[in-house]
């Protein structure tokens, strides 16, 4: 958790998580709750197990998740972190940041999803995520797409509308992109 606190001090990414109603009042408790909710989602341990681990009630974590962690707030926080990372001296060890690539991954799903499709090769219903990554290993865009659609339609999406300061000059894909 202290890593996420330190990252916020350097980037201000927690400010991107605004209330769905637009209210801007921030409390230290809200920041604490967000710092618990984000790893609960990103590691798939969920709010129930995170509540047990951190001592914040499930109801508070669920409320914070419901009202603050949305696609638009996650999309706003990502560039703040990527742009900070881009300025770190160690980042250039991985590359200069001018090359990126994109590819899709298919994941099996249970239950209903408007994006999932039946695929015989995967033995069931799957959905695809399409991700854009720089040569410095920064993921600057991810989108859930219909698994049976060609990926080529999504190649330019994140390249043209991402909010980062990445200096991408070249982009690579596989044959589907």
């Amino acid at each position: 958790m202290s890593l996420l606190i330190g990252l916020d001090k350097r980037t201000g990414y927690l400010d991107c998580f605004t209330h769905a109603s637009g209210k801007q009042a921030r409390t230290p408790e809200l920041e604490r709750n967000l710092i618990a909710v984000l790893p609960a989602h990103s590691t798939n341990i969920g709010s129930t197990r995170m509540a047990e681990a951190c001592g914040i009630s499930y109801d508070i974590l669920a409320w914070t998740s419901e009202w603050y962690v949305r696609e638009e707030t996650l999309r706003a926080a990502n560039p703040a972190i990527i742009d900070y990372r881009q300025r770190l001296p160690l980042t250039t060890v991985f590359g200069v940041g001018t090359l990126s690539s994109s590819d899709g991954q298919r994941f099996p799903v249970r239950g209903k999803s408007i994006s999932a499709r039946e695929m015989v090769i995967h033995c069931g219903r799957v959905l695809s995520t399409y991700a854009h990554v720089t040569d410095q290993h920064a993921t600057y865009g991810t989108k859930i797409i219909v698994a049976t659609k060609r990926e080529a339609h999504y190649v330019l999406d994140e390249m043209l509308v991402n909010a980062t300061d990445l200096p991408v000059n070249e982009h690579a894909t596989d044959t589907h992109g």
Side-chain angles (χ1 to χ4, degrees), residues 69-157:
V69 182
R70 303 177 309 281
E71 182 177 357
E72 61 265 21
T73 59
L74 289 166
R75 283 194 174 274
N78 198 36
I81 296 168
I82 289 173
D83 291 342
Y84 171 74
R85 185 181 179 277
Q86 180 73 17
R87 294 187 303 268
L88 295 174
L90 184 60
T91 305
T92 58
V93 170
F94 301 104
V96 293
T98 59
L99 174 66
S100 73
S101 63
S102 58
D103 197 9
Q105 271 187 294
R106 293 192 173 113
F107 296 95
V109 294
R110 290 184 231 168
K112 296 180 180 180
S113 170
I114 59 172
S115 300
R117 296 295 185 268
E118 194 72 33
M119 295 191 75
V120 176
I121 194 167
H122 293 286
C123 299
R125 294 176 56 81
V126 298
L127 62 78
S128 287
T129 60
Y130 198 71
H132 288 70
V133 181
T134 70
D135 58 349
Q136 296 174 331
H137 306 284
T139 301
Y140 66 92
T142 303
K143 179 181 263 186
I144 294 176
I145 64 173
V146 175
T148 55
K149 289 216 175 179
R150 299 283 300 172
E151 295 169 355
H153 305 288
Y154 302 98
V155 173
L156 294 177
D157 281 358

